[in-house]
Amino acid sequence: MNHLLVKNMTSENNELDKFDSMPFIALIHHISRNKLKYSMKNPNQIDMVHEGRYLMAIHKRKNLSQDDLANIFGQSKGTIAKALKKLEDKDYVERKIDENNRRKYILKTTKKGKDLAILLIKDFEEWERNVGIDKLDEKTKNQLRQIARKSEKLLNDN
């Protein structure tokens, strides 16, 4: 079938569209990319690729360190440090030295950061409802988590 023809068909006509022939990993990438594009429409002037995700993680977890954030997102410590500096400069996050380990910084959202994190979380939840992610059953979500774990392990083992 002609590639252009496949591209222009729609699922509304019960015919193939570009997503029907797309490899699974490409579907995941496409969904993720579209979510980031959607998030960039936020009026908060915050980088949703890094800063927004980090802010939400800091808000959701207690006693999170910079190293923890690097591990969660698979980012370098330098990338995390740069993003945290921006979040601090915007008064969204504060870093405090851990009383048990003076070389470790514990991250905490400020009042302004907490308010923004709550808005961003609501935005993520709304997007998930709009695209139907909230309709996935727990078994499917757990399978996707397991695939993510295995893919990261495979990368780290090599």
Side-chain angles (χ1 to χ4, degrees):
M1 185 177 269
N2 183 319
H3 178 67
L4 292 175
L5 182 61
V6 171
K7 187 174 180 179
N8 292 325
M9 291 181 177
T10 65
S11 56
E12 293 171 7
N13 298 334
N14 292 328
E15 297 180 15
L16 291 176
D17 68 9
K18 65 181 178 182
F19 301 111
D20 292 322
S21 60
M22 192 178 285
F24 181 74
I25 196 68
L27 287 170
I28 298 294
H29 176 74
H30 189 82
I31 293 166
S32 178
R33 191 181 73 223
N34 284 342
K35 172 56 183 127
L36 289 174
K37 286 179 183 178
Y38 177 85
S39 297
M40 297 305 276
K41 295 179 180 182
N42 80 66
N44 303 300
Q45 302 302 312
I46 189 167
D47 166 18
M48 288 306 297
V49 174
H50 295 107
E51 295 171 34
R53 293 185 313 151
Y54 301 160
L55 181 65
M56 289 185 289
I58 294 165
H59 171 71
K60 287 180 179 181
R61 294 175 174 90
K62 302 290 184 227
N63 297 317
L64 192 69
S65 72
Q66 286 182 229
D67 287 346
D68 295 333
L69 209 55
N71 289 330
I72 290 168
F73 291 103
Q75 297 290 321
S76 71
K77 291 178 184 181
T79 298
I80 296 295
K82 287 177 192 174
L84 288 175
K85 176 72 172 121
K86 290 178 184 178
L87 289 170
E88 280 183 302
D89 290 348
K90 294 175 184 176
D91 192 34
Y92 292 132
V93 170
E94 59 187 22
R95 291 187 263 193
K96 296 193 178 204
I97 295 176
D98 184 346
E99 295 172 2
N100 300 321
N101 181 350
R102 310 260 330 137
R103 292 176 287 163
K104 184 176 178 181
Y105 285 95
I106 299 299
L107 308 170
K108 183 180 177 192
T109 53
T110 62
K111 167 73 170 110
K112 183 178 174 183
K114 177 182 175 183
D115 292 344
L116 179 56
I118 290 169
L119 286 174
L120 295 176
I121 291 167
K122 286 181 183 177
D123 184 57
F124 263 71
E125 290 170 350
E126 178 184 338
W127 182 83
E128 288 186 355
R129 278 191 308 277
N130 286 338
V131 300
I133 290 175
D134 65 323
K135 302 283 189 260
L136 295 176
D137 59 50
E138 281 306 308
K139 180 179 178 185
T140 302
K141 290 177 184 178
N142 286 333
Q143 287 174 319
L144 290 170
R145 288 181 189 107
Q146 191 61 30
I147 290 168
R149 286 182 191 101
K150 286 180 180 179
S151 69
E152 188 167 288
K153 184 179 182 329
L154 183 64
L155 183 65
N156 291 334
D157 287 349
N158 290 329

